[in-house]
Amino acid sequence: MNAQSRHVDNLLSQSFQFSNGARLQNRLVKSALSEALGNLHGHATPELVQLYRTWSASGIGLLVTGNVMIDRRALGEPGNVVVEDASGHAMLSEWAQAGNRNGTQLWMQINHPGKQAFLGLNRETVAPSAIGFGPALAPFFPVPRALTSSEIEDLIVRYGRTAGLAKAAGFKGVQMHGAHGYLISQFLSPHHNQRDDDWGGDAERRRRFVLAVYGEIRRVVGADFPVGIKLNSADFQRGGFTEDESLETIRSLANAGIDMVEISGGTYESPAMARGGAKASTLAREAYFLDFADKVRKEVAVPLMVTGGFRTAAGMNAALASGGLDLVGLGRLMAIEPQVAERLLRGEDPLHQLRAIRTGIRMVDESASMEVTWYTRQLHRIGRGRAPVPNESGLKSFLLDLLTKGWGIFKTRRMRARAGNPAQPEALSLQPSARIDA
Ligand SMILES: Cc1cc2nc3c(=O)[nH]c(=O)nc-3n(C[C@H](O)[C@H](O)[C@H](O)COP(=O)(O)O)c2cc1C
């Protein structure tokens, strides 16, 4: 196949138009990757600006930020950006400008971690119900306190406020983080949400929170501003959110007017987002959640993006050709090859392929956190204007992370103590990075 015919066949380079008129220059999207590059005030930094300038130089269609928190009392990890008021607006605008170049658009992913917040990071951890993690993660995460109804109402307003501030700073859209076991996902899950009030008890009431958050964001940003969600196809956990409930949730959000649904899957306890589920039909295709996307496609008319497992131009094109999705989401590849979109848009494969990241320490290698730590280091290198090191040692990355994360938690707490911030936690604990993804 010559270069010209490759280009003609390359569905990745086709533009995509949302029904509200917003247009992406091609079908490639960088999915959210938590950068952990916020400063101690939770504001954006020059490193974030540099990282997004690098990515937008590739001509990719859409960049979605790593998760940005709606409440500084509820961080998911040290270094999260928090957007809850006008402080930090100037850097936020610079960040937006850095991502909105060369025809690329930048959307902000908006999140609250709920119970997936490390021990020692926040004064208190809240969730739909006071249910802790199972034995593998319990040492690293406190048992949460159940939210009161008025706190739930306040959080809904906060999601809207953050979206409004993102719009004011120049972001071109927002995405609710409804996947991977964070607060919205906890509300949807029959395992994590065992409330028996307006916010839980049956599937419809468990869906109320995500619909209320969507409604509030839409009210604040208006009809023409793109609003999407990243949602699990399933939690891959016994008693968790199922494909049937996910489909119903997508149907409800589509009826309410959502502009785009990104499909992923898994939680900290069952990290399918980075490994796929166990089904043979899933493993047979390059990306993990394509079978579920096909099901959604048959039932609901809403723009769909799928993230997880895409590695080759042919695999991405085949997925688009199957008609099961509109947009191709890329995570880890963007961290080791920030210009990968250029090659893919030419119909070429990435220069680098992902490899398993290992430290040689069995306990560490069995937890999925190692990968996140390793990829985060690559993001930090790009943010400092350096090239990623795709063959960097897993052990080196792990040991350096132990030091920097412990130091990061220590600095966050000391800064809060000095500021008399009520979110200051009681005692310092240095923990291995149990984060699996954000
Ligand atoms: C370092 C790292 C950080 C991540 N942070 C986020 C995040 O903030 N929000 C989110 O929705 N997913 C996050 N993810 C998951 C990715 O968006 C994506 O779903 C996952 O990596 C699978 O896609 P891939 O196979 O293309 O890497 C993160 C993944 C990694 C490796």
Side-chain angles (χ1 to χ4, degrees):
M1 195 190 281
N2 64 31
Q4 198 181 358
S5 63
R6 260 202 322 245
H7 185 74
V8 171
D9 293 337
N10 193 353
L11 302 176
L12 292 170
S13 52
Q14 292 183 348
S15 64
F16 181 76
Q17 181 136 10
F18 293 98
S19 58
N20 64 11
R23 193 175 151 279
L24 302 181
Q25 61 188 358
N26 56 59
R27 305 300 179 102
L28 284 172
V29 182
K30 183 205 73 82
S31 191
L33 293 174
S34 186
E35 308 88 2
L37 281 174
N39 68 16
L40 285 174
H41 302 281
H43 297 160
T45 55
E47 287 79 11
L48 267 175
V49 171
Q50 174 63 35
L51 176 61
Y52 280 78
R53 283 184 75 81
T54 308
W55 276 329
S56 61
S58 73
I60 195 166
L62 177 62
L63 296 168
V64 182
T65 68
N67 62 166
V68 167
M69 298 298 164
I70 62 168
D71 185 343
R72 68 180 61 253
R73 295 167 304 178
L75 302 182
E77 62 195 325
N80 283 147
V81 174
V82 181
V83 175
E84 60 174 10
D85 54 33
S87 69
H89 178 82
M91 272 314 284
L92 201 60
S93 296
E94 273 196 47
W95 185 13
Q97 276 170 29
N100 292 322
R101 296 185 320 134
N102 296 321
T104 296
Q105 298 200 9
L106 178 61
W107 292 13
M108 181 188 284
Q109 186 185 62
I110 299 179
N111 195 23
H112 184 295
K115 72 209 280 182
Q116 285 190 163
F118 287 122
L119 192 66
L121 190 56
N122 303 310
R123 163 165 283 218
E124 184 175 51
T125 304
V126 290
S129 301
I131 298 168
F133 282 110
L137 295 188
F140 307 114
F141 297 90
V143 176
R145 174 175 68 73
L147 287 158
T148 65
S149 303
S150 63
E151 285 172 327
I152 293 173
E153 302 285 353
D154 174 61
L155 289 177
I156 293 165
V157 172
R158 280 177 174 272
Y159 277 97
R161 187 180 302 142
T162 303
L165 290 162
K167 182 178 177 187
F171 288 81
K172 301 280 192 212
V174 291
Q175 181 188 59
M176 304 185 271
H177 196 347
H180 304 172
Y182 292 98
L183 186 68
I184 291 178
S185 160
Q186 287 159 34
F187 267 99
L188 288 167
S189 155
H191 171 70
H192 297 295
N193 178 356
Q194 298 189 11
R195 301 178 74 93
D196 193 14
D197 60 4
D198 292 346
W199 304 104
D202 57 36
E204 203 180 327
R205 282 180 287 168
R206 285 195 300 277
R207 273 198 291 281
R208 250 190 99 214
F209 184 71
V210 67
L211 288 167
V213 169
Y214 171 71
E216 176 64 7
I217 290 177
R218 181 58 79 202
R219 188 188 68 74
V220 172
V221 299
D224 295 338
F225 192 72
V227 180
I229 186 166
K230 185 165 183 175
L231 193 71
N232 277 358
S233 56
D235 289 350
F236 298 91
Q237 189 175 24
R238 189 173 312 196
F241 188 55
T242 61
E243 285 197 354
D244 287 347
E245 285 197 24
S246 180
L247 187 58
E248 275 316 304
T249 306
I250 293 171
R251 200 191 310 277
S252 306
L253 285 163
N255 288 340
I258 199 145
D259 295 298
M260 195 258 269
V261 176
E262 176 184 356
I263 296 170
S264 185
T267 67
Y268 277 20
E269 289 177 294
S270 178
M273 71 293 274
R275 296 173 180 174
K279 276 201 237 159
S281 59
T282 302
L283 297 175
R285 302 175 79 177
E286 180 166 299
Y288 313 138
F289 307 110
L290 291 173
D291 287 358
F292 180 69
D294 289 342
K295 280 190 207 163
V296 176
R297 198 55 140 196
K298 288 194 189 105
E299 304 252 343
V300 191
V302 69
L304 281 183
M305 164 173 162
V306 175
T307 300
F310 280 116
R311 301 292 173 255
T312 63
M316 296 172 205
N317 269 292
L320 285 171
S322 77
L325 67 156
D326 302 292
L327 300 169
V328 168
L330 304 177
R332 288 164 285 180
L333 263 180
M334 295 291 294
I336 56 169
E337 196 174 332
Q339 304 304 323
V340 71
E342 272 179 5
R343 292 182 65 83
L344 293 168
L345 291 170
R346 288 197 301 264
E348 294 165 11
D349 280 337
L351 278 176
H352 301 285
Q353 278 303 318
L354 301 191
R355 62 186 176 93
I357 311 295
R358 299 265 179 265
T359 60
I361 306 168
R362 204 165 131 221
M363 199 185 91
V364 175
D365 291 341
E366 278 172 2
S367 91
S369 65
M370 187 53 233
E371 285 229 322
V372 170
T373 301
W374 189 92
Y375 284 101
T376 308
R377 268 180 59 75
Q378 305 303 323
L379 300 182
H380 289 196
R381 288 182 66 89
I382 305 168
R384 290 196 303 270
R386 300 168 69 185
V389 183
N391 60 355
E392 188 171 64
S393 138
L395 182 61
K396 178 176 161 194
S397 167
F398 170 72
L399 294 175
L400 287 172
D401 181 66
L402 269 188
L403 286 173
T404 48
K405 210 163 249 151
W407 179 236
I409 290 177
F410 174 74
K411 278 195 300 185
T412 307
R413 299 163 64 94
R414 199 177 53 169
M415 201 274 294
R416 283 172 168 169
R418 283 196 179 145
N421 186 320
Q424 184 213 345
E426 304 305 335
L428 173 68
S429 65
L430 191 143
Q431 61 234 318
S433 82
R435 191 179 65 134
I436 282 154
D437 115 280

